[in-house]
Amino acid sequence: YDSVAGECARGVQQVQLTTGVPVAFGVLTAEDEAQALARSEGPGGHNVGEEAAAVAVEMALVAGRYAPA
């Protein structure tokens, strides 16, 4: 669990440093199936992946406001 989360974070950081492009970190790590299901509920429920996607879209919109013309 900790190893997977740590290596995912390291990989995302490396992509950002290499490309200069911000990357939303939306990796779902869980210790068991019950924990994974609790973090990925359907519409209207708690869903970590859905939240990460929403953050990525919002950040892209914000970045677009500050992009050089």
Side-chain angles (χ1 to χ4, degrees):
Y1 173 87
D2 290 334
S3 178
V4 170
E7 287 302 306
C8 287
R10 188 192 64 74
V12 168
Q13 179 184 33
Q14 187 59 50
V15 168
Q16 294 177 103
L17 292 171
T18 300
T19 66
V21 177
V23 178
F25 184 73
V27 176
L28 175 62
T29 56
E31 294 191 30
D32 55 39
E33 183 178 6
Q35 193 178 64
L37 291 172
R39 295 178 181 180
S40 59
E41 295 175 357
H46 179 69
N47 188 310
V48 176
E50 182 179 5
E51 292 167 2
V55 166
V57 169
E58 184 63 28
M59 291 306 296
L61 293 172
V62 169
R65 291 184 212 143
Y66 298 98

